[in-house]
Amino acid sequence: MTNTYTGQADWHPSFIIIGAVKAATTWALEQLQVNPALFMPDPEPHYFSSEFEQGEDYYRAFFEAQAGSERMLGEKSADYLAHPQAAQRIAAMLPHARLVVQFRNPIERAYSDYKMLYRRGTVKEGPEAYLASLDNPQPRFLNDGLYALHLRRWLDHFPAEQIHSFLYDDVKAQPQATIEAISAHIGVDPVFDVGQSRKKANNASERFLPLPVRKVLAPLKSTIAPLRGTALFESTRSMFAREIAYPPLSSELRLRLRDFYADDVADLGQMLGRDLSDWLDVTQSGAKQGNDREKHKKVA
């Protein structure tokens, strides 16, 4: 069945959160999922990026149960923003889709992405091995934060009015207003769950299960997901979870990252009409990281 207004199949998503990775895309997903007028699958399809070769039937499976319903369909795959072919692929299938993108300080984003793969055991060396230049086994750490470069590619395929952008800082400062703006962009009445927002804030933690345990539980991720947040689950998890001692991001490396991103940050600021100069204030960021380490020492 085809939507006569858009010319698209009725299982096609009407909006997509395209990234960036480690910029609070999961927060936006879970807030939008609270809205009964919307349907978004929990797993990231990654169809227009890493899973494109699986074909359209793979993508349809995420939405076909909702086809023909009154709910607006959407999805979130945070790697779309930086993927070199995602914009062209989405434009070919979903030219009318409303796009949502959020940006985070690229220095903090790169280090957060590094920490995620470090705790997974994918990378084992310190951040200098991966964040000093693009010539390393994980160039995504640096490349994914070149937001202006990536956004221009999307603007080659979509008009600016179809792309709504906001900052990680907006989520922290004005979470409800952020959701209201996203909802207006995709065309639904906003629903904001204060409890959901607080739960995410309370559950934000640097404590994780030991890596061998996480690897054993990985195949059960979807089964375990509904239990998260329950008293029994959280109390059991707290018995075994430990804080990970990440290799720190040195002041010298922060300066190199500032220089690496300076031009792109300036370009993005002009594109968005926003002052992003705080992103390049490495003195402030370094001081915050030092204070966080001192807090952790006191707790320990």
Side-chain angles (χ1 to χ4, degrees), residues 111 246 248-249 286 288-298:
Y111 185 46
Y246 298 106
L249 187 62
K288 180 181 184 300
Q289 185 185 43
N291 291 336
D292 290 343
R293 285 200 297 268
E294 288 302 315
K295 290 178 183 178
H296 294 159
K297 288 179 183 178
K298 291 177 182 178

Side-chain angles (χ1 to χ4, degrees), residues 44-243:
E44 298 190 12
H46 299 294
Y47 173 62
F48 298 103
S49 53
S50 60
E51 305 302 324
F52 193 69
E53 298 305 318
Q54 294 209 45
E56 191 172 304
D57 286 345
Y58 161 83
Y59 195 47
R60 183 188 294 113
F62 287 92
F63 307 102
E64 60 184 351
Q66 298 290 326
S69 75
E70 296 298 319
R71 304 174 78 184
M72 181 183 293
L73 308 182
E75 67 124 318
K76 186 268 284 191
S77 295
D79 63 337
Y80 286 166
L81 174 65
H83 193 277
Q85 295 173 286
Q88 181 178 2
R89 289 169 175 174
I90 293 175
M93 177 186 278
L94 309 170
H96 302 285
R98 311 295 284 183
L99 306 176
V100 177
V101 57
Q102 54 248 65
F103 302 109
R104 180 184 183 182
N105 180 322
I107 299 172
E108 301 303 328
R109 195 225 68 83
Y111 185 46
S112 179
D113 202 12
Y114 160 80
K115 291 196 296 183
M116 179 174 70
L117 294 197
Y118 182 86
R119 62 177 173 264
R120 290 179 180 175
T122 305
V123 301
K124 302 181 185 301
E125 299 179 72
E128 288 77 7
Y130 306 96
L131 304 184
S133 77
L134 285 166
D135 184 18
N136 73 80
Q138 296 290 342
R140 79 177 222 185
F141 293 155
L142 293 176
N143 179 67
D144 284 16
L146 293 170
Y147 305 135
L149 175 68
H150 302 315
L151 185 58
R152 285 195 189 92
R153 182 170 59 251
W154 287 85
L155 290 170
D156 287 340
H157 297 280
F158 291 92
E161 58 268 22
Q162 276 183 236
I163 304 176
H164 173 72
S165 63
F166 64 98
L167 307 183
Y168 182 88
D169 311 80
D170 299 333
V171 173
K172 294 189 294 182
Q174 297 180 309
Q176 183 168 347
T178 299
I179 291 299
E180 289 173 351
I182 295 173
S183 300
H185 177 68
I186 63 180
V188 295
D189 292 332
V191 174
F192 180 74
D193 187 339
V194 176
Q196 176 75 12
S197 190
R198 288 173 179 168
K199 183 177 74 173
K200 291 299 293 182
N202 292 337
N203 287 344
S205 171
E206 287 294 308
R207 295 171 63 84
F208 297 90
L209 295 174
L211 181 59
V213 176
R214 280 182 273 134
K215 287 184 175 180
V216 170
L217 295 178
L220 304 175
K221 185 176 181 180
S222 59
T223 304
I224 296 173
L227 301 177
R228 292 184 178 275
T230 64
L232 178 60
F233 178 89
E234 296 302 331
S235 62
T236 302
R237 182 182 183 279
S238 65
M239 293 173 59
F240 301 98
R242 298 291 181 270
E243 185 173 326

Side-chain angles (χ1 to χ4, degrees), residues 1-10 14 95-98 162:
M1 189 172 179
T2 301
N3 183 309
T4 56
Y5 177 71
T6 64
Q8 297 175 181
D10 61 357
S14 298
H96 302 285
R98 311 295 284 183
Q162 276 183 236

